[in-house]
Amino acid sequence: MKVLVIGGGAREHALCRSLSLDPAVSALHCAPGNAGIAEVAELHPVDALDGAAVTALAEKLEAALVVVGPEAPLVAGVADAVRAAGIPVFGPSGEAARLEGSKAFAKDVMAGAGVPTARSYVCTNAAEVDEALDAFGAPYVVKDDGLAAGKGVVVTDDIAAARAHAHACERVVIEEFLDGPEVSLFAITDGTTVVPLQPAQDFKRALDGDQGPNTGGMGAYSPLPWADPTLVREVLDTVLQPTVDEMKKRGTTFSGLLYAGLAITSRGVRVIEFNARFGDPETQVVLARLRTPLAGVLLAAANGTLADLEPLRWSDEAAVTVVIASHNYPDTPRTGDPITGLDAVAAQDAPHAYVLHAGTKRAGGDGSGAVVSAGGRVLSVTATGTDLTQARERAYAAVSRIGLDGSQHRTDIAAKAAAES
């Protein structure tokens, strides 16, 4: 089949890499893509938020499946436009994507579905903010109600910082703090059947030891040796299936990727948030472990035939991803810096370690120049191994070969889990 992937980050590179290894995929396209994706897919310019433009490109390419990667096009209804043209699309409708696009909407759905989550208040003015902050006390959890590229949440003991973040947003959700480790669990669904993937853990803070500002994610690992073996089944039964059922009952069928951000608290599993697409950087490690060819799974979700699928097959190996970010990230990043060492990783570390591009491009107008940085998170260095210790060693060995002036990365991704496993 011919497949078109929409997006241009490391998540999309991970998707394209997996799709390129699928023998069922005869042609792979990505729009707009990046310098790394260009090695496995044909790139096309497109406004990813323009449903008509994406649909026209899919029709021109005779795509048998369109995969919408990022959240913004989904919330903008791009999947609706493609679906209306009769083309199978992996991704929820704009209305269903409100599970990510509005924290308040997600809370309402969770309440209807009986899904365990944090107590919360939706606030639209200063008085409501102060009342909610006072009710919960520190640590304060303040979430922008809308999309914020994974950086709309502030967790702080400083009430002034909490209040400042709340006042900078038109509408905020303020909720109780959830203790315990966090887990990301993805599920592929056609709106009825729900197929969970393997859990992962990501690292949101910019600096080692979970210090520094919140980011879109600085690394991830899978599997989670410390997690209860029944966790996936429990989350499927108490979170994922009830949410999909509730959306269907509301007449807003959710088809695509449902991402549950979870806290394993002293009182049990609680949902922190939902996303309506593959998470970044967790996708990089989850897909590194998936052995079932990806295209058929995504197509089954798009066509409503997930129930007919064989159980997913997984590698017993562990996977670790380390994100290399630009100077000054997560604030305004410096871009245009040359990236070196990519060929060295390919020559010396493959197939156990490889580089997935996020914010990169080719210098020069014709796209034939050197690879340079073009965003905040620049690369995701991903490695597999017999266990987390070996996967970490391979990932950081590959990281050490890469040169990017002023870049930053965490040195403790999966370190605690590896030491304890």
Side-chain angles (χ1 to χ4, degrees), residues 113-131:
V115 167
T117 187
R119 293 179 298 121
S120 63
Y121 294 102
V122 180
C123 306
T124 57
N125 59 54
E128 291 174 350
V129 167
D130 286 343
E131 184 179 346

Side-chain angles (χ1 to χ4, degrees), residues 157-223:
D157 290 321
D158 184 345
I159 192 167
R163 192 177 285 124
H165 182 63
H167 292 170
C169 307
E170 289 185 18
R171 193 174 188 228
V172 293
V173 173
I174 295 175
E175 62 184 36
E176 66 175 327
F177 176 76
L178 297 175
D179 64 331
E182 295 185 12
V183 173
S184 299
L185 185 60
F186 303 162
I188 291 173
T189 178
D190 57 11
T192 301
T193 301
V194 181
V195 178
L197 305 186
Q198 289 292 299
Q201 186 174 61
D202 78 332
F203 295 76
K204 287 294 187 190
R205 299 287 185 172
L207 307 176
D208 285 4
D210 291 326
Q211 301 297 307
N214 216 29
T215 72
M218 295 298 290
Y221 70 93
S222 177

Side-chain angles (χ1 to χ4, degrees), residues 1-83:
M1 72 179 87
K2 297 178 181 178
V3 181
L4 170 62
V5 176
I6 302 301
R11 164 187 46 230
E12 287 75 36
H13 194 176
L15 288 164
C16 285
R17 179 181 182 274
S18 291
L19 290 167
S20 74
L21 298 173
D22 187 336
V25 176
S26 58
L28 182 59
H29 304 270
C30 186
N34 62 40
I37 295 174
E39 297 176 8
V40 295
E42 184 179 343
L43 302 191
H44 305 270
V46 78
D47 179 353
L49 299 176
D50 186 337
V54 171
T55 302
L57 177 61
E59 290 176 330
K60 176 185 174 185
L61 297 174
E62 299 179 334
L65 174 66
V66 175
V67 180
V68 183
E71 60 272 25
L74 291 168
V75 172
V78 168
D80 300 85
V82 176
R83 203 172 276 119

Side-chain angles (χ1 to χ4, degrees), residues 367-400:
S368 63
V371 177
V372 299
S373 61
R377 291 186 295 174
V378 181
L379 303 169
S380 284
V381 179
T382 302
T384 56
T386 54
D387 54 22
L388 286 174
T389 297
Q390 186 179 54
R392 285 190 80 248
E393 289 170 352
R394 287 171 169 174
Y396 280 107
V399 167
S400 71

